[in-house]
Amino acid sequence: MGLIWTLIVGAVIGAIAGAITSRGAAMGWISNIIAGLIGSWLGESLLGSWGPSLAGMALIPSIIGAIVLVLIVSWITSRTNK
């Protein structure tokens, strides 16, 4: 049950990051989960684990990390499509 909860929270974090950056419309739910989980790891590695926590992920650093990840990936994909 813990894995399912982690995937759900990762998807929500990825969806929030996509909505904030306005690049989430092209992302599917699997991309949201991946962005949320990798962004959570990135944010907690760089910023620490402060703030409210859910499913073992500190929410504020996780959302910031996911936003950075979405911006970097969208920048790279936009450059390769030109």
Side-chain angles (χ1 to χ4, degrees):
M1 190 66 180
L3 177 64
I4 294 172
W5 187 242
T6 301
L7 292 175
I8 291 170
V9 172
V12 170
I13 290 171
I16 291 170
I20 290 173
T21 60
S22 71
R23 290 172 169 83
M27 293 173 50
W29 60 275
I30 293 176
S31 297
N32 281 338
I33 293 172
I34 293 170
L37 294 176
I38 295 174
S40 175
W41 171 80
L42 179 69
E44 287 185 26
S45 295
L46 295 175
L47 303 172
S49 58
W50 49 273
S53 181
L54 189 62
M57 293 181 244
L59 295 179
I60 296 171
S62 297
I63 292 171
I64 293 170
I67 290 170
V68 169
L69 180 71
V70 167
L71 288 174
I72 290 171
V73 169
S74 65
W75 179 73
I76 290 171
T77 57
S78 69
R79 288 184 46 93
T80 59
N81 290 336
K82 289 183 179 181

